Amino acid sequence: MKILAFNGSPRGKRSNTDRILHPFLEGAMEAGAETEIIYLKDLEIKPCLGCFTCWTKTPGVCVQKDDMAPLLEKMRLADIAVYATPLYIFTVSGLMKNLMDRYLPLLDPHIVKRGEHYGHPPRYEDENRRIVLISNCGFPERDNFSGLVETFYRFTDDPDSELMATILCPMGELLGQSALQDSLRWYYEAVRNAGNEVVELGHITPETQAILDREIVPMEVFLSMANAYWDSQIAAPKAKKETVEHGRPLSLPATAPITLQDMIAGMPLNFNAEAAGDLQAVMQFDIGGEEPGQYYLQIAEGRCVAFEGKHPSPTLTIHAPSEVWMAISRGELDGTQAMMQGKYSIEGDLNLLIRFNELFSGAGADER
Ligand SMILES: Cc1cc2nc3c(=O)[nH]c(=O)nc-3n(C[C@H](O)[C@H](O)[C@H](O)COP(=O)(O)O)c2cc1C
């Protein structure tokens, strides 16, 4: 079985689209399929001219001489075509739209009743139009994909065609966050299973689909991370501009007032019991860099106690170089932004990290 996949993101191999497409194709290959990815951004596929020459003067052949002709040949012969596209204005990206419009030569112009609707039959008998749709988008809600899905239902609304499966990932920008890769393993595993199932069964099982349709992180975590990301990006050019206009800001003196161990030991002083409520959690610090060490904070019954060592089942583990964690603790670095920039990573309950400032906003914070 041959699977031809189109990646319609202008970001190509760095796209969130590719982060979903790869495990899908890996799963398909495990089930014995032969796969190929076409990165549309690397090809010249001009917009359709609307001249219908491919239906009249040169049936099956487009007047435009670009990279589309060999693709049409590949599309005809593939058993399954995967359309993988970011959501752009509630539909496919421009790159993907050009590809879809330029599909016209593979259709016969006559309008006949095909199943439920009138449409154009395929030009060639051996043509296969079994399609998988993969998409991700920036917004958090699944119904952002409704227009896109409708487009693909109509695109495949023909007895010779089938929309075999859809994998739709809202909050898609989080797929690229290195700090989240460990916590997203379950998602990529489900995508891999989906690839396997499409080849083996011709569809995604309801069990796998249910996993794929889960939120990849809770809404409040998404909002906090997404907006912190945009803040970090908007702030960066401003800082650069100031540097150019007013010279380099002086570095802070290197003499750190306390060690990282002191800093973690002092965290219970800043613990806000009221904000914690009945929270029970263990926050593990796996510290590297200049002052490596293992520490954890145990939060239970409105108290927070710091320990040196490794807890067997922490709720959240923070893997950070000591310099980074010191800078965050001193307020020199924004914790969420530093994570988005890959300066440290986490494992476990993201909600706990999101609550960090609130949990350690006690009276002691000002005295430090
Ligand atoms: C021009 C443009 C239009 C977009 N339109 C939407 C949209 O309608 N809805 C949405 O949720 N996200 C939208 N996004 C966000 C992208 O879907 C999101 O950034 C996605 O993760 C990009 O995926 P990629 O890395 O595979 O290209 C848009 C982005 C761009 C650049």
Side-chain angles (χ1 to χ4, degrees), residues 223-261:
L223 288 174
S224 163
M225 291 185 78
N227 291 326
Y229 169 79
W230 288 117
D231 285 342
S232 74
Q233 295 302 301
I234 295 163
K238 204 171 144 206
K240 204 170 166 196
K241 196 167 160 235
E242 276 169 7
T243 304
V244 173
E245 283 179 5
H246 308 294
R248 269 175 178 275
L250 284 173
S251 313
L252 287 166
T255 47
I258 48 175
T259 65
L260 182 112
Q261 184 169 341

Side-chain angles (χ1 to χ4, degrees), residues 83-245:
Y83 288 73
T85 175
L87 192 74
Y88 273 16
I89 316 296
F90 306 102
T91 186
V92 293
S93 65
L95 289 171
M96 187 59 88
K97 187 63 168 51
N98 281 351
L99 176 87
M100 292 168 78
D101 290 348
R102 295 285 302 280
Y103 189 77
L104 244 59
L106 291 187
L107 297 175
D108 180 284
H110 298 95
I111 298 173
V112 291
K113 188 127 193 209
R114 309 272 303 163
E116 298 262 301
H117 295 101
Y118 287 89
H120 303 295
R123 177 177 296 280
Y124 304 101
E125 273 186 8
D126 62 351
E127 205 176 305
N128 200 312
R129 286 161 68 195
R130 297 172 81 210
I131 286 176
V132 173
L133 168 65
I134 292 179
S135 188
N136 86 96
C137 75
F139 289 146
E141 292 148 312
R142 191 159 290 280
D143 64 3
N144 283 284
F145 295 109
S146 58
L148 176 78
V149 170
E150 184 58 21
T151 300
F152 275 80
Y153 274 134
R154 298 310 297 256
F155 191 51
T156 54
D157 180 18
D158 184 283
D160 286 331
S161 192
E162 183 192 355
L163 183 57
M164 302 175 78
T166 56
I167 300 178
L168 307 169
C169 180
M171 309 182 179
E173 285 291 4
L174 296 186
L175 296 175
Q177 294 305 320
S178 51
L180 289 184
Q181 293 313 303
D182 275 343
S183 19
L184 289 176
R185 272 201 214 125
W186 63 270
Y187 182 73
Y188 294 121
E189 192 52 37
V191 175
R192 188 171 283 106
N193 288 341
N196 207 291
E197 289 167 5
V198 163
V199 173
E200 297 238 331
L201 311 170
H203 62 266
I204 299 176
T205 59
E207 295 75 31
T208 302
Q209 192 71 56
I211 300 173
L212 291 172
D213 291 348
R214 281 184 203 152
E215 278 183 337
I216 58 171
V217 299
M219 179 68 93
E220 60 277 15
V221 174
F222 164 78
L223 288 174
S224 163
M225 291 185 78
N227 291 326
Y229 169 79
W230 288 117
D231 285 342
S232 74
Q233 295 302 301
I234 295 163
K238 204 171 144 206
K240 204 170 166 196
K241 196 167 160 235
E242 276 169 7
T243 304
V244 173
E245 283 179 5

